[in-house]
């Protein structure tokens, strides 16, 4: 009886399946999660590209008068040299927006136009869908994007000339901060920690730096 039991192979397939199934499911769900991470990467890349484009054709987040006052005016018509003024770094910390630490030099409406396009201006992270001819903003290309994730920098890189009527021509960089790739299955089942997302950025040359919202 014992000899027959020892030679029996009944249930072998079930045991093998019990061993292989967790590995198979983990591999499958891992593919899903990393595919979603790639989707997030693409979304973040597109968001900063759209943000930079909107920033280049819209009112600057740091008021134009402040930007103009920062540039030299001693030699009218002379080029505004690179690094002629300190870069203006505009971002949100919590619910407070500031440029170089000054909330007085921060235009919340201009930031909103970059963040959420032509949709309604609100003092939160809401991202209402655009309608009609409204242009989409950064948040429409990267789900769950927060205002605190967006940093907009205006820097002097040797463009424009002193006493230019519309002020100096800055180089604008839009980048993301404090974002992680979100993992659902791996994080929940295997305790896989979220991975910090690299600082996605896009740099463009400022244009007229004036609001060009559709009429």
């Amino acid at each position: 009886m014992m000899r027959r039991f020892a030679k029996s192979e009944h249930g072998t397939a079930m045991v093998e399946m019990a061993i292989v199934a967790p590995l198979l499911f983990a591999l499958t769900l891992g593919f899903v999660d990393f595919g979603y991470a790639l989707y997030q990467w693409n979304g973040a890349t597109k968001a900063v590209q759209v943000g930079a484009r909107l920033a280049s054709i819209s009112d600057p987040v740091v008021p134009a008068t402040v930007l103009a006052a920062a540039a030299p005016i001693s030699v009218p018509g002379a080029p505004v040299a690179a690094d002629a003024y300190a870069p203006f770094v505009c971002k949100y910390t919590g619910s407070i927006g500031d440029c170089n630490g000054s909330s007085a030099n921060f235009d919340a409406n201009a930031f909103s136009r970059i963040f959420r396009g032509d949709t309604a201006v609100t003092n939160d992270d809401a991202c209402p869908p655009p309608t009609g001819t409204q242009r989409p903003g950064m948040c429409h290309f990267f789900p769950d994007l927060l205002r605190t994730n967006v940093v907009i920098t205006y820097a002097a890189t040797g463009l424009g000339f002193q006493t230019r009527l519309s002020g100096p021509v800055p180089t604008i960089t839009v980048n993301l901060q404090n974002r992680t790739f979100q993992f659902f299955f791996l994080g929940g089942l295997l305790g896989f920690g979220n991975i910090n997302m690299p600082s996605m950025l896009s740099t463009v040359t400022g244009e007229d730096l004036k609001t060009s919202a559709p009429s």
Side-chain angles (χ1 to χ4, degrees), residues 181-207:
F181 292 108
Q182 303 299 311
F183 296 103
F184 295 102
F185 299 116
L186 295 182
L189 298 178
L190 302 178
F192 196 90
N194 289 335
I195 300 175
N196 289 330
M197 184 177 289
S199 181
M200 308 289 184
L201 61 85
S202 182
T203 300
V204 296
T205 300
E207 296 182 10

Side-chain angles (χ1 to χ4, degrees), residues 5-29:
F5 176 77
K7 293 182 178 180
S8 176
E9 295 184 359
H10 292 164
T12 303
M14 184 177 296
V15 174
E16 292 174 348
M17 185 61 184
I19 296 174
V20 173
L23 297 177
L24 180 61
F25 285 136
L27 184 62
T28 301
L29 297 179

Side-chain angles (χ1 to χ4, degrees), residues 141-205:
F141 293 92
F142 190 15
D144 301 323
L145 185 68
L146 305 177
R147 293 179 302 173
T148 53
N149 298 141
V150 180
V151 179
I152 305 170
T153 303
Y154 299 85
T157 55
L159 300 173
F161 54 87
Q162 295 185 33
T163 65
R164 178 174 177 267
L165 184 61
S166 298
V169 179
T171 294
I172 306 169
T173 299
V174 176
N175 70 284
L176 301 184
Q177 64 176 3
N178 303 326
R179 288 295 304 189
T180 59
F181 292 108
Q182 303 299 311
F183 296 103
F184 295 102
F185 299 116
L186 295 182
L189 298 178
L190 302 178
F192 196 90
N194 289 335
I195 300 175
N196 289 330
M197 184 177 289
S199 181
M200 308 289 184
L201 61 85
S202 182
T203 300
V204 296
T205 300

Side-chain angles (χ1 to χ4, degrees), residues 45-192:
T45 300
K46 184 63 178 178
V48 295
Q49 290 174 349
V50 168
R53 175 56 184 163
L54 287 174
S56 72
I57 61 174
S58 303
D59 291 333
V61 178
V62 55
T65 53
V66 175
L67 191 63
I73 58 174
S74 57
V75 185
V80 176
D83 301 321
Y85 55 87
F88 288 92
V89 180
C90 304
K91 57 186 175 59
Y92 268 92
T93 302
S95 60
I96 305 298
D98 68 79
C99 291
N100 289 2
S102 172
S103 57
N105 291 339
F106 182 87
D107 188 334
N109 289 347
F111 189 97
S112 177
R113 183 176 300 281
I114 297 167
F115 181 74
R116 58 177 63 87
D118 294 329
T119 59
V121 175
T122 59
N123 189 30
D124 53 31
D125 293 311
C127 189
T131 59
T133 58
Q134 290 181 332
R135 293 171 298 189
M138 296 180 65
C139 65
H140 297 109
F141 293 92
F142 190 15
D144 301 323
L145 185 68
L146 305 177
R147 293 179 302 173
T148 53
N149 298 141
V150 180
V151 179
I152 305 170
T153 303
Y154 299 85
T157 55
L159 300 173
F161 54 87
Q162 295 185 33
T163 65
R164 178 174 177 267
L165 184 61
S166 298
V169 179
T171 294
I172 306 169
T173 299
V174 176
N175 70 284
L176 301 184
Q177 64 176 3
N178 303 326
R179 288 295 304 189
T180 59
F181 292 108
Q182 303 299 311
F183 296 103
F184 295 102
F185 299 116
L186 295 182
L189 298 178
L190 302 178
F192 196 90

